[in-house]
């Protein structure tokens, strides 16, 4: 018992198909999607800084913010890369898509003295970076700010 697949039994050549096979493209796109889903959470700044809280209304963050962090040991870091105070402006100039008209997001640990914070802001101002935003943790609106770790000394 023989079965014929097509009407043209004598021709062994298959008819040409003029359609694009999109299955490999879909497979590549799914792999890229998985890679980006895994890599996106890893692209955030991950320095151990204890930020103060604020009850101010959060503002929209730009797509690629430039974070300048002052660690508890008073060292500076742009993103996660440590920089020396003398090289701060040159390092900011080397950041891609960073101009003097863009905002620098300044993060300082809760234990950093106010004078050190102002010293870094003065370095930024002297280098031409006058657009500075201070970063805090979001607090509960209407709640009092967290008490300082030490009582103020007269």
């Amino acid at each position: 018992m023989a079965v014929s697949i097509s009407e043209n039994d004598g021709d062994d050549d298959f008819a040409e198909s003029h359609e694009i096979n999109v299955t490999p493209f879909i497979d590549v796109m799914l792999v890229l999607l998985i890679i980006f889903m895994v890599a996106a959470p890893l692209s955030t700044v991950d320095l151990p800084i204890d930020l103060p809280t604020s009850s101010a209304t959060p503002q929209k963050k730009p797509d690629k913010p430039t974070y300048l962090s002052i660690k508890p040991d008073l060292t500076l870091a742009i993103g996660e890369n440590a920089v020396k105070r003398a090289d701060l402006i040159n390092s900011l100039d080397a950041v891609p898509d960073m101009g003097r008209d863009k905002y620098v997001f300044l993060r300082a640990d809760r234990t950093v003295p106010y004078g050190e914070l102002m010293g870094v802001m003065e370095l930024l101002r002297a280098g031409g970076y006058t657009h500075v935003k201070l970063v805090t943790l979001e607090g509960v609106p209407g709640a009092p700010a967290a008490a300082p770790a030490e009582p103020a000394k007269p």
Side-chain angles (χ1 to χ4, degrees), residues 14-99:
F14 292 109
E16 288 185 22
S17 175
H18 296 288
E19 298 175 6
I20 296 175
N21 185 3
V22 296
T23 305
F25 297 122
I26 292 172
D27 292 343
V28 169
M29 294 305 293
L30 288 174
V31 169
L32 288 174
L33 177 67
I34 291 170
I35 290 172
F36 285 121
M37 287 174 56
V38 169
L42 301 176
S43 66
T44 59
V45 176
D46 192 28
L47 289 177
I49 293 181
D50 184 21
L51 293 173
T53 58
S54 173
S55 60
T57 306
Q59 295 182 355
K60 185 178 179 287
K61 191 171 55 168
D63 294 334
K64 293 183 179 180
T66 302
Y67 288 104
L68 173 61
S69 302
I70 306 173
K71 300 182 202 175
D73 60 355
L74 304 182
T75 58
L76 301 177
I78 297 176
E80 293 183 10
N81 304 321
V83 296
K84 296 179 181 178
R85 288 181 191 261
D87 299 333
L88 176 61
I89 301 303
N90 292 334
S91 299
L92 278 173
D93 290 339
V95 172
D97 297 330
M98 183 64 195

Side-chain angles (χ1 to χ4, degrees), residues 150-154:
E150 303 176 1
K153 296 179 184 176

Side-chain angles (χ1 to χ4, degrees), residues 3-13:
V3 178
S4 176
I5 297 176
S6 66
E7 296 176 14
N8 212 359
D9 289 334
D11 190 11
D12 288 349
D13 294 334

